[in-house]
Amino acid sequence: MALPASSADLTVALREDAAALAGDIADLRHRLHREPEIGLDLPRTQEKVLTALDGLGYEISTGTDTTSVTAILRGTAGTPDSGMQRPVVLLRGDMDALPVQEKTGLEYASEIPGAMHGCGHDLHTAMLVGAATLLATRRDQLGGDVVLMFQPGEEGFDGAGVMIREGVLDAAGTRPDAAYALHVMSALSDSGAFLSRPGAVMSSSDGLVVTVHGAGGHGSAPFAAKDPVTVAAEMVMALQSMVTRQFDVFDPVVISVGMLQAGTKRNVIPDTARFEATIRSFSAEAKARLKTSIPRLLGAIAQGHGLEVTVDYIEEYPLTLNDGAESEFARHAVDELFGPERYRELANPLAGSEDFSRVLAEVPGAFLFLSAVPEGTNSTEAAYNHSPFAVFDDAVLADGSALYARLALERLAAA
């Protein structure tokens, strides 16, 4: 295939070819949606991806600790000097589902009880397969190599970390010059809008597990016991006060206690009380302070009541940080493909977290959202990602595939 005469020619060709693939991309998405799999072990999903990539000319490897797929396309454009490293671009698509019972009523709804693609990863996988086809037919336009990262375990299993340990960033022989990922949204904005921003685009996420150790007794005589329930309750409230009194409102922190457990009967004071929380922050400085401030605060409360506390602060995902230049490059790619009206710059980062942050900590790149709100649905009223009612529109699939391909082609040409 000859190199298009201009960027405009490439834009038209990518959009037309992606539109021609739309039916196949949607079919794959529906098959993935019917058979969602959770965590790091996704054998049926992996099989579907491998079948879709078969014959496209990719060098394919699979994970040993997870059912990941890494596919490398070696571009043939240009003849670099001997010993000169060719540029590399990485594109990520996550594949796992959620432990949610689907309630959408879709024709292709989940057939697996208690599992649902409620975060749109079926769209991510299908779009990346679509991009794989678009790029395979343009191999002679690629002035470098493309790594496709089909990743399990994004939903709390750190699949990106596993794939990095298994060598995905070095799979092509050279570390990527840039990395990109798309994430669909079932709400947030008008359908078809791409949203992102330079710098922090999603928060970091840590876990907190607290056990208050007291001494049980009869509910009629709390003075003869050491009640861990009231102390745990005080700790929960103190954490909220700490957020507003020790941290800058313009560098926010979010602490949400999602689980609190104690006791077996209402007239029995238990020996222990336990709660768990998620902690989100938007700067490395705030994240570091939280790790020291929280154990100090909870330890002081326990000591003041004559009890003991065990605090497990679990560092999970870092900030998802978009490189400034790569963020601008991605915005330009959207503008060129679909027009500037399709790109919206987020005023603030989202408070969710992403393990693609691990890739962006190693490689400059950008993470973008793509609104997949069904046509005619009010984005402010639509069910949000992770809801059993979340619905994602197939209409965005071709555009996502085209953008993935455009990012790789243009970034390699610019390297």
Side-chain angles (χ1 to χ4, degrees), residues 27-36 44 48 102 107-112 115 117 122:
D27 176 69
L28 174 58
R29 185 252 164 153
H30 294 174
R31 288 187 284 117
L32 291 165
H33 195 90
R34 287 191 183 98
E35 288 193 285
R44 294 187 298 274
K48 291 180 179 70
E102 183 164 358
E107 179 184 353
Y108 51 89
S110 171
E111 297 172 357
I112 308 299
H117 270 295
D122 51 333

Side-chain angles (χ1 to χ4, degrees), residues 192-244:
F194 292 89
L195 305 98
S196 192
R197 68 192 304 272
V201 69
M202 296 187 81
S203 72
S204 66
S205 175
D206 294 329
L208 181 67
V209 178
V210 178
T211 304
V212 183
H213 306 277
H218 199 286
S220 66
F223 58 88
K226 292 185 178 181
D227 187 357
V229 176
T230 53
V231 175
E234 183 177 331
M235 289 176 177
V236 170
M237 298 309 297
L239 287 171
Q240 304 309 314
S241 297
M242 182 195 73
V243 164
T244 62

